[in-house]
Amino acid sequence: MSGWIANIGLLVGPAVGQDRLLPELPQASSPVALVAASNPVTGKSEFRYRGENTPPVIRVQPGSTVNVEYKNELAPQSNEECLGHPCMQMTNLHFHGLHVSPNAPQDDVLDMIASPGEILHYSVQVPPQQPPGLYWYHTHSHGESYVQDLDGMSGAIVVEGIERYAPEVRNMRDRILVLRDLVLSNDGVERKRITESVNMQTSQCGTPTEKAEAAFTVNGTLRPKIDIAPGERQFWRIVNASPDLYADLELDSGSLEVVALDGMPLAYHDPSIRKRSMSHVLLPPAGRVEAIVTGPPADSHAALRTRCFDTGPDGDSNPAMVLADIVSAQAPNIQARPALGEAPVYTTFASTVLKQVEASDPQFVVNFTEDKQGFYINGQKFEMNSGPMLTVDVGSLQHWRVINSTKEVHPFHIHQVHFLAYSVGKQPVKDPTWFDTVNVPYGSSVDLVMDFTDPIIRGMSLFHCHLLKHEDKGMMAKIVFR
C-alpha cells in the first residue's frame, strides 16, 4: 500500500517510566485494519490495531494514499452516555487538517458512518502539495464524538518532508507526544493521588469555579520521563487530542523553537520564517505544535508543563499541571532521516492581496451562541439532515469573522483548509499565523483569511467548535465547496 507506514507501541511506560520511541513497521501491501472496540473491563470505546489497544501513528509521504479498513466492533449496547442517553455505538474517522476531499471514500464524516458490525473503507489521497507536518485522526460521529475521543479514539498522522523547511531537524531525535485526558475519579483518595502526582494547581484557575475534571496524559501515561542529553536538540511534535482541555505549553528549561503549527510549517507561506522562538504555546483542543527543544544542564530539574488557562465564567476549569519530567541521558546516535529529494513547495500570497482581503468587510460571519437547550452557530443547531449554511466557490481567499457571544472560549475549526488568523477583538496580532483550529476568546472575535484556493476540497464539508461536547450539542454547520 503506497505511502503508509504505521507506528505502534505508543506507550511511555509506567508513571515513573521512560519515554520510548515508536517502532516503525514496514510499508504494507494491503489496507491497514483499524478496529473500534469496547474494552472488556471498562466498557469504554478504544482503537485496536494488530490486537493492541494503542492507536497507530500514520506516516505518509505527500502524493500518496492512506488506505484504512475501519471495522466497528463496538458492543451493540453501550454503558456510556452520549447526550443523556446510551451511546448508539456509531463511529467513523476524520483526518484532521489534511487538505483532502470531503467526499467518500476520503474525509467524509457525514455519509461514512458505521454501526456495530459494519466496515468502512477509506482511501485518502494526500496531495503532493500537502504541507508536511503533524496532523491527527479521530472519530467524528455526531452526538458521540466527545465520548469516543475522551476514551482515546485518536492517533497522530505525520506527513513526511518537514526537513525541507527546517533542514536541521533531519539529525534530531523525533518524538511524537499525544496529549489525552485522564478523567479524575470521584473517589477522594484516588483523585488526590492523581492531582498531586502532576502537581495540579489547587487555587482557582481563571474565572471558572468548578473543580478540574481531568488530568493530561502523554501517550497514555501520567507524567512520564522524557530523556534528553544536556545541550541535545530534539524535535518534538505535540498534538492536543483532548476533547475539551486547553494545553498552554511551556518548558522550565527554555523556549520552544517552533517550526510548525497545526501541521503548517511557518516557512510554507513565508520562506523567510524558518522558526520562531516562543516562551509558551497555546494549543486548543485539536491544536498541534512542532518545535525544537534543547536539553537542560545535567544537574537541573526541568519539566514540560501546561499553564493555567482561563476558559471563561461558563467554562471548565483548566488548571496548570506537569505533563512530563525531562531527565538527563546520554546523547543517542541518530541516523539522519532521508530527504525526500524534491525542493520545498511554497504557497505565498502577495502582502497586498492579503491586506486587501483583511481590510474588506467580512464575507461571512460565524456567531457562536449557547443557552440551556444547546449550542448554536448563527442561531442554528446542527442536525445531520441540516442543509448547508453557505456555499463557497473554490479559488478564492475570503475574510471571515468568528464572534464568540458566550461566556466561555470556543476553538473554531474548519475541515479541509487552513486559515490566517490576523486579528483578535479587531486588534491586529503581532505574528499572524496559519491554523486549522484557533481559539476564540469569550466575548470577543477573531478575523481570518480563509484559503479556499485548493481545487481538491470540492464537496460538502463542516466547520464547528472543537470543544466536542459543544459540537455534539449543535455548534456545527455544513459548508459546500464548489
Side-chain angles (χ1 to χ4, degrees), residues 271-382:
S272 68
I273 305 175
R274 299 283 282 272
K275 56 188 177 183
R276 184 177 293 154
S277 179
M278 301 177 69
S279 60
H280 66 102
V281 180
L282 177 65
L283 295 187
R288 287 94 66 209
V289 62
E290 294 166 86
I292 298 168
V293 172
T294 301
D299 57 352
S300 65
H301 174 266
L304 173 66
R305 303 174 184 271
T306 179
R307 303 164 15 137
C308 163
F309 180 71
D310 184 3
T311 62
D314 291 345
D316 297 323
S317 180
N318 212 116
M321 70 187 82
V322 175
L323 301 177
D325 292 299
I326 300 170
V327 297
S328 183
Q330 290 187 340
N333 293 322
I334 300 299
Q335 183 176 359
R337 289 189 297 277
L340 289 182
E342 301 90 347
V345 175
Y346 298 106
T347 299
T348 58
F349 299 106
S351 60
T352 53
V353 172
L354 290 175
K355 295 298 182 186
Q356 185 177 12
V357 176
E358 293 170 9
S360 66
D361 292 333
Q363 286 158 283
F364 186 67
V365 175
V366 177
N367 191 6
F368 287 146
T369 57
E370 60 183 80
D371 59 27
K372 292 182 180 180
Q373 280 69 51
F375 295 79
Y376 311 87
I377 293 179
N378 295 353
Q380 299 180 37
K381 182 187 291 188
F382 179 84

Side-chain angles (χ1 to χ4, degrees), residues 376-399:
Y376 311 87
I377 293 179
N378 295 353
Q380 299 180 37
K381 182 187 291 188
F382 179 84
E383 301 288 349
M384 285 297 289
N385 60 0
S386 298
M389 186 169 284
L390 76 159
T391 298
V392 170
D393 288 326
V394 174
S396 64
L397 299 176
Q398 288 194 5
H399 173 194

Side-chain angles (χ1 to χ4, degrees), residues 178-182 215-224 323:
V178 182
L179 308 183
R180 297 192 182 92
D181 290 12
L182 174 62
F216 273 117
T217 62
V218 180
N219 294 350
T221 300
L222 200 67
R223 194 171 173 172
L323 301 177

Side-chain angles (χ1 to χ4, degrees), residues 15 26 115 117 151 167 227 243 249 263 272 286 378 404 419 443 456 477:
S115 297
D151 286 348
D227 65 285
L249 303 175
S272 68
N378 295 353
N404 182 353
F419 48 77
I456 292 174

Side-chain angles (χ1 to χ4, degrees), residues 129-150:
Q129 69 274 20
Q130 175 72 44
L134 180 63
Y135 299 87
W136 67 301
Y137 61 96
H138 61 90
T139 61
H140 208 295
S141 177
H142 181 60
E144 306 189 52
S145 297
Y146 172 78
V147 169
Q148 291 182 7
D149 282 44
L150 185 67

Side-chain angles (χ1 to χ4, degrees), residues 4-9 21-27 50 57-59 61 158 160 174 176 337-338:
W4 175 287
I5 303 174
N7 291 348
I8 61 172
L21 291 182
L22 309 180
E24 199 166 277
L25 297 178
Q27 289 187 347
R50 293 191 171 181
V57 173
I58 300 169
R59 289 183 176 266
Q61 302 283 358
V158 174
E160 303 285 19
D174 187 326
I176 297 173
R337 289 189 297 277

